[in-house]
Amino acid sequence: MKFTKIAKWIVLCVALVFLAGAIIIYPERYIQSCFQGFAMWAECVLPSLFPFMVIMLIFIKTGIAERAALPLKKATSIFGLPPAAAVCFVMSICSGYPAGSRAVAEFYESGSVNAKDCKKLAALCSTSGPLFIIGSIGVKMLNDKGAGWKILLAHVVAVLLVSVIICLFTKKGEKAEYRRAPADKNVLYNAFYSGVISVAVAGGFIAFFCVAAQVAVDFNLLYPIEKLLCLFTDETSAQAVCRGLVEATSGCRSLADGGGKLTLPFAGFLITFGGISILMQQLSYLLKAKVNALYFIGVKFIQGVISLFILLPFCL
């Protein structure tokens, strides 16, 4: 166990030193990548994430979201989920990454759900939002609102399908008492403050991993995966998917610019899987709720593959 931890730290240090060295050697290239990451965040993520984030935070902090979830209480109990599941899922599906994961962590810290519940909720409450998928991906990138709707449908179906299977094959955890959060006396300020911080942090993740994705492409760090993908698609699309495995939004942008035949299913996969950037954002909350990182990454990969196969017939 100790050796494994040391190995992880060594790998992390080597990766960070390599990334820093690349930026120092080619500053003009990677500063531009960082700027493009922030520009993409401002154009595609900020408009779609921030309004829903604030709206959902107001709903939750005022208790409206909890009351709205009560009719779903019986439905959640069928799958061995606590009432908080409905609140987390609604927040996730409306706000997008990483709102659902943050909600799961908050309910865990309040004692409303236990670790076994969080394992199931992590899979269920990990979704992108409709404004991002339809507006940013469909309209802005693919110039096709209908494509955005198809990706959204495949995304939600994949998440729900895997989550239902996990719930059916997972033993119920110990019942946790559901406690409502104390009333917030300054709802408006706290909702806006928390929303701004969350969206700003998301922008930082996107910019950083846009640089990491460009470094990975320039130094062929994902060359084996790229060559494997070339068996099924063109080289441009393969490179775009590899970029998306690091930062999903930039990968979707590259897919749209390339205009490959499999752009739609690959975009669905990247959005559902999330890429390293989105996965790290979510794990920063889920690890606090005792959710295993490898388990969560594996679940997201399976959801992404299912989304890809759902969208594949639209390209044939």
Side-chain angles (χ1 to χ4, degrees), residues 278-289:
I278 293 175
L279 288 171
M280 291 300 102
Q281 291 180 56
Q282 295 178 92
L283 285 171
S284 66
Y285 298 109
L286 293 176
L287 290 177
K288 299 176 184 177

Side-chain angles (χ1 to χ4, degrees), residues 120-132:
K120 292 181 282 188
L121 290 174
L124 176 66
C125 304
S126 174
T127 63
S128 186
L131 271 183
F132 175 75

Side-chain angles (χ1 to χ4, degrees), residues 3-278:
F3 175 78
T4 303
K5 285 186 177 181
I6 293 174
K8 288 180 180 178
W9 280 111
I10 291 174
V11 171
L12 177 62
C13 289
V14 170
L16 291 176
V17 169
F18 182 84
L19 180 61
I23 295 172
I24 292 172
I25 296 172
Y26 303 108
E28 66 287 346
R29 180 168 182 78
Y30 298 120
I31 288 175
Q32 182 65 22
S33 295
C34 186
F35 175 78
Q36 288 173 352
F38 276 118
M40 185 167 53
W41 166 76
E43 179 185 1
C44 300
V45 179
L46 178 60
S48 61
L49 179 59
F50 181 68
F52 265 117
M53 180 69 79
V54 172
I55 291 170
M56 290 311 302
L57 284 171
I58 292 174
F59 274 133
I60 289 175
K61 291 179 180 296
T62 56
I64 295 175
E66 293 182 40
R67 295 185 182 90
L70 290 178
L72 300 175
K73 184 176 180 180
K74 291 184 178 180
T76 58
S77 64
I78 294 174
F79 299 100
L81 293 170
V87 178
C88 293
F89 181 71
V90 169
M91 181 175 183
S92 179
I93 199 65
C94 290
S95 301
Y97 300 121
S101 298
R102 185 175 117 180
V104 171
E106 288 181 356
F107 278 112
Y108 174 78
E109 291 176 352
S110 71
S112 299
V113 297
N114 55 38
K116 287 188 177 180
D117 289 330
C118 289
K119 187 176 181 180
K120 292 181 282 188
L121 290 174
L124 176 66
C125 304
S126 174
T127 63
S128 186
L131 271 183
F132 175 75
I133 295 177
I134 298 171
S136 298
I137 303 298
V139 177
K140 285 185 174 294
M141 295 185 187
L142 300 176
N143 296 315
D144 185 353
K145 188 176 182 180
W149 277 105
K150 291 172 186 174
I151 294 174
L152 177 63
L153 179 60
H155 174 69
V156 173
V157 169
V159 169
L160 289 177
L161 180 60
V162 173
S163 300
V164 168
I165 292 173
I166 290 173
C167 289
L168 292 177
F169 287 91
T170 303
K171 292 182 179 179
K172 294 183 179 181
E174 297 179 4
K175 188 175 181 181
E177 182 182 354
Y178 183 69
R179 299 196 296 260
R180 287 190 174 184
D184 192 328
K185 296 181 180 179
N186 196 359
V187 173
L188 197 61
Y189 173 82
N190 288 333
F192 271 88
Y193 178 82
S194 184
V196 168
I197 294 299
S198 297
V199 175
V201 170
F205 267 94
I206 291 172
F208 178 85
F209 282 100
C210 272
V211 175
Q214 189 61 55
V215 171
V217 170
D218 290 345
F219 290 88
N220 292 317
L221 299 181
L222 298 177
Y223 183 75
I225 299 176
E226 181 183 329
K227 295 306 291 183
L228 179 63
L229 288 170
C230 283
L231 297 175
F232 308 98
T233 187
D234 59 276
E235 185 177 351
T236 301
S237 295
Q239 289 179 349
V241 173
C242 287
R243 184 187 295 272
L245 290 175
V246 181
E247 207 297 302
T249 308
S250 63
C252 290
R253 172 63 63 84
S254 297
L255 279 170
D257 292 341
K261 183 179 179 181
L262 297 178
T263 292
L264 191 66
F266 279 146
F269 169 79
L270 291 179
I271 292 169
T272 306
F273 176 58
I276 296 175
S277 176
I278 293 175

